[in-house]
């Protein structure tokens, strides 16, 4: 007879394993389902995480294994396309050994009492009475099993293998469109020179190398680095661009990778958009990349994955205690996530769309004129907006006069970032009000997209 769980979690990456740890620690029966062998779980990422996320992890009671950290970062260097301008944005963080990180989190979940069910490929959700009641999965021998639960957590990554198989009336089934994603390729390499200032990650804006995105050089030691690039999914689909081809064309023979010895390579899809209209449904929630919990500007997702899992776990525990795992019963997760991160994410999505319409020439001139200072970039990355004093607004206006075409787009983005923030502050307190709110949100986004000459959104 198939076992009944309180919670079934699909995907043993950062989001899924952390959620399994949190809920099993609270005494819930939890199944963590993974298609790979548990020992082989590994995700292609930039491998970087902010120190504040690690600090939050320790507060949850986890003892972090020191071998997951390869390097400590002090900040980020941001370069213009012509390399003539460099910004430095301070910020502490770590470069992870992502394989050891994955194993550490899976072991934490296992040690807290979660059942680790690996080598199981999830096929579809089980839907009964309008509720998700678990998943159907294939074992490695080809036989099928049903893993039933009161709540199902989709932590399967950007593909969202559970939520995307739900009927369209479930708002959580919203597809991830190419225009709201970046297609990335990266390599872990060893070089034959001593990397200067390995304590700083490097981000390079260049629409020839990484159209609509950026390419990066993240040191992991003085000889090892994570090097890759992302291309706006819209351009991948419309123009047939390929991040791996661009890597080979522009980076593989560059001085940055001198003496390159390949240690690992891989690619993937990175969500870079506003939060989904809803991250919950009756009997189901989404976390991590499956919930598009990613920074829309730089694509960082490890920290937001941890945050989304912490908030989802709290909402699920409360819903189970009340005996109400309906959409309304789980709605608190939407509200908590927006307050903690989602409103900022929505604002940064507005800024992201503006950046993706700038040419290399506009980026060069805008950065040269310092239309945003390092402090303003840092402030935006922390809060998602710029609340400037009257004096600072005057100073910014004088800077903007130097680059009127870029200034128009920046001013437009800042205006709509504020308007979108107001809409998300008024996010509905219950599911019955969601459709009207969503219609108004899409209308506001389309006002902005028309001004940027981008295709309109639909509901």
């Amino acid at each position: 007879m198939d076992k009944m769980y309180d919670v079934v979690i699909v995907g043993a990456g950062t989001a899924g394993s952390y959620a399994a740890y949190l809920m099993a620690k609270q005494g819930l029966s939890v199944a963590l389902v993974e298609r790979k062998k548990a020992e082989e779980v590994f995700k292609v990422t930039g491998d970087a995480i902010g120190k504040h996320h690690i600090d939050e992890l320790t507060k949850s009671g986890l003892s972090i294994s020191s071998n997951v950290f390869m390097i400590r970062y002090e900040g980020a260097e941001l370069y213009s396309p012509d390399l003539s301008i460099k910004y430095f944005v301070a910020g502490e963080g770590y470069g992870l050994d992502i394989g050891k990180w994955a194993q550490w989190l899976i072991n934490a979940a296992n040690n807290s009492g979660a059942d680790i069910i690996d080598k199981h490929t999830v096929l579809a959700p089980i839907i009964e009475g309008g509720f998700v009641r678990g998943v159907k999965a294939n074992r490695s021998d080809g036989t099928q099993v049903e893993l039933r639960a009161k709540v199902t957590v989709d932590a399967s990554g950007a593909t969202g293998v559970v939520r995307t198989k739900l009927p369209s009336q479930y708002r959580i089934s919203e597809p991830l469109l190419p225009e709201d994603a970046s297609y990335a390729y990266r390599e872990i390499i060893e070089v034959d020179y001593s990397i200067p200032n390995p304590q700083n990650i490097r981000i390079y804006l260049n629409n020839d190398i990484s159209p609509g995105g950026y390419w990066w050089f993240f040191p992991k030691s003085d000889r090892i680095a994570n090097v890759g690039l992302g291309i706006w999914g819209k351009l991948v689909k419309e123009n047939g661009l390929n991040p791996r081809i661009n890597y080979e064309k522009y980076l593989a023979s560059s001085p940055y990778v001198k003496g390159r010895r390949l240690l690992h390579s891989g690619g993937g899809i990175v969500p870079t958009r506003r939060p989904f209209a809803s991250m919950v449904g009756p009997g189901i929630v989404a976390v991590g990349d499956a919930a598009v919990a990613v920074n829309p500007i730089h694509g960082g997702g490890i920290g937001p994955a941890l945050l989304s899992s912490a908030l989802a776990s709290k909402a699920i525990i409360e819903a189970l205690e009340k005996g109400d795992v309906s959409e309304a019963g789980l709605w608190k997760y939407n509200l908590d996530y927006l307050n903690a991160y989602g409103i900022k994410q929505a604002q940064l999505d507005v800024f992201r769309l503006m950046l993706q319409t700038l040419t290399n020439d506009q980026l060069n001139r805008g950065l040269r004129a310092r239309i945003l200072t390092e402090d303003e970039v840092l402030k935006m990355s922390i809060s998602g907006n710029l609340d400037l004093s009257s004096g600072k607004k005057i100073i910014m206006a004088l800077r903007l006069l130097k680059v009127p075409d870029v200034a128009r787009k920046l001013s437009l983005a800042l205006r709509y970032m504020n308007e979108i923030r107001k809409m998300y502050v008024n996010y509905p307190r219950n599911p019955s009000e969601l459709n009207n709110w969503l219609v108004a949100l899409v209308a506001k986004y389309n006002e902005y997209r028309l001004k940027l000459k981008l295709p309109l959104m639909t509901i």
Side-chain angles (χ1 to χ4, degrees):
M1 182 176 178
D2 295 322
K3 183 175 178 180
M4 177 72 178
Y5 292 91
D6 291 318
V7 184
V8 164
I9 301 170
V10 178
T14 294
S17 295
Y18 188 47
Y21 159 77
L22 290 172
M23 287 186 278
K25 187 178 75 164
Q26 294 301 313
L28 300 186
S29 59
V30 178
L32 180 59
V33 187
E34 170 57 45
R35 65 183 177 84
K36 300 176 184 175
K37 288 178 63 175
E39 297 81 10
E40 296 174 355
V41 173
F42 184 98
K43 183 183 177 183
V44 174
T45 75
D47 302 341
I49 186 171
K51 179 180 178 296
H52 60 290
H53 292 298
I54 298 299
D55 292 342
E56 287 299 317
L57 264 184
T58 59
K59 291 178 185 177
S60 74
L62 271 174
S63 176
I64 302 178
S65 176
S66 60
N67 70 354
V68 307
F69 301 119
M70 293 189 68
I71 193 169
R72 184 161 181 161
Y73 296 129
E74 296 179 2
E77 299 172 9
L78 173 67
Y79 290 86
S80 62
D82 63 6
L83 304 180
S84 67
I85 304 298
K86 179 179 80 172
Y87 277 37
F88 176 75
V89 181
E92 293 182 278
Y94 298 92
L96 300 176
D97 181 319
I98 202 67
K100 291 178 180 177
W101 169 266
Q103 295 311 304
W104 166 68
L105 275 174
I106 291 171
N107 288 336
N110 183 53
N111 292 338
S112 291
D115 287 349
I116 311 301
I117 304 176
D118 62 358
K119 297 184 289 183
H120 278 61
T121 301
V122 170
L123 304 174
I126 299 169
I127 304 173
E128 293 175 351
F131 281 71
V132 176
R133 302 293 190 186
V135 295
K136 298 176 183 177
N138 270 352
R139 300 185 181 94
S140 56
D141 62 7
T143 59
Q144 191 173 114
V145 62
E146 289 190 350
L147 299 166
R148 291 181 167 267
K150 298 170 186 174
V151 178
T152 299
V153 177
D154 191 344
S156 62
T159 53
V161 298
V162 183
R163 64 170 195 81
T164 57
K165 291 183 173 65
L166 292 169
S168 59
Q169 64 262 31
Y170 294 80
R171 279 292 177 202
I172 194 175
S173 71
E174 182 179 350
L176 175 63
L177 301 177
E179 68 174 60
D180 290 328
S182 179
Y183 289 61
Y185 172 78
R186 75 97 181 92
E187 293 183 350
I188 306 295
I189 59 170
E190 184 177 9
V191 296
D192 67 0
Y193 66 94
S194 182
I195 298 170
N197 299 317
Q199 73 278 6
N200 297 337
I201 66 173
R202 282 85 148 166
I203 292 174
Y204 299 84
L205 301 175
N206 191 309
N207 281 314
D208 295 325
I209 299 173
S210 47
Y214 66 88
W215 75 269
W216 67 86
F217 187 101
F218 292 0
K220 295 169 78 72
S221 73
D222 63 348
R223 295 278 180 174
I224 296 174
N226 180 315
V227 185
L229 62 90
I231 298 176
W232 191 6
K234 178 178 182 290
L235 302 178
V236 171
K237 291 300 182 182
E238 292 178 357
N239 301 334
L241 299 180
N242 184 303
R244 182 165 188 166
I245 290 174
N246 274 34
Y247 185 97
E248 291 295 333
K249 180 178 179 180
Y250 293 105
L251 299 180
S253 59
S254 72
Y256 300 96
V257 300
K258 183 174 174 288
R260 160 187 176 225
R261 183 171 76 86
L262 182 64
L263 303 179
H264 190 275
S265 65
I269 299 173
V270 184
T272 51
R273 53 157 284 169
R274 66 210 168 277
F276 283 141
S278 177
M279 301 159 71
V280 308
I284 183 171
V285 307
V287 296
D289 282 11
V292 298
V294 177
N295 185 297
I297 301 297
H298 57 61
I302 300 176
L306 294 169
L307 174 63
S308 66
S309 289
L311 297 174
S313 297
K314 181 180 178 183
I316 290 168
I317 291 168
E318 291 181 9
L320 288 171
E321 287 175 348
K322 294 175 181 177
D324 181 8
V325 296
S326 66
E327 185 177 28
L330 294 166
W331 197 255
K332 185 177 185 295
Y333 172 40
N334 280 331
L335 299 172
D336 289 348
Y337 179 79
L338 289 179
N339 287 332
Y341 188 75
I343 294 175
K344 167 186 167 178
Q345 181 182 336
Q347 291 178 276
L348 292 179
D349 182 42
V350 173
F351 196 75
R352 183 262 306 188
L353 290 171
M354 181 275 292
L355 285 177
Q356 289 176 318
T357 67
L358 296 179
T359 65
N360 275 351
D361 175 64
Q362 289 174 320
L363 288 166
N364 285 326
R365 288 187 290 110
L367 290 171
R368 192 172 297 120
R370 297 206 169 248
I371 58 173
L372 291 177
T373 67
E374 283 96 332
D375 286 345
E376 288 162 356
V377 171
L378 178 60
K379 186 173 184 178
M380 185 180 294
S381 70
I382 293 172
S383 66
N385 59 28
L386 285 175
D387 290 324
L388 302 175
S389 66
S390 298
K392 289 187 176 181
K393 285 180 181 178
I394 292 171
I395 294 171
M396 176 181 280
L398 292 173
R399 295 198 306 261
L400 297 181
L401 287 174
K402 301 176 184 178
V403 281
D405 55 335
V406 183
R408 283 191 293 271
K409 287 191 173 182
L410 176 60
S411 298
L412 184 70
L414 293 175
R415 171 189 155 197
Y416 275 91
M417 288 171 73
N418 188 50
E419 294 192 19
I420 291 297
R421 182 188 66 81
K422 291 177 182 176
M423 297 202 70
Y424 274 91
V425 167
N426 292 311
Y427 183 83
R429 312 326 269 181
N430 60 74
S432 65
E433 302 168 3
L434 182 62
N435 285 344
N436 289 338
W437 177 86
L438 184 57
V439 168
L441 179 72
V442 169
K444 183 59 67 177
Y445 258 99
N446 282 340
E447 277 182 25
Y448 178 57
R449 296 174 74 95
L450 274 172
K451 291 177 170 63
L452 291 178
K453 299 180 180 178
L454 292 173
L456 300 184
M457 292 167 51
T458 57
I459 298 177

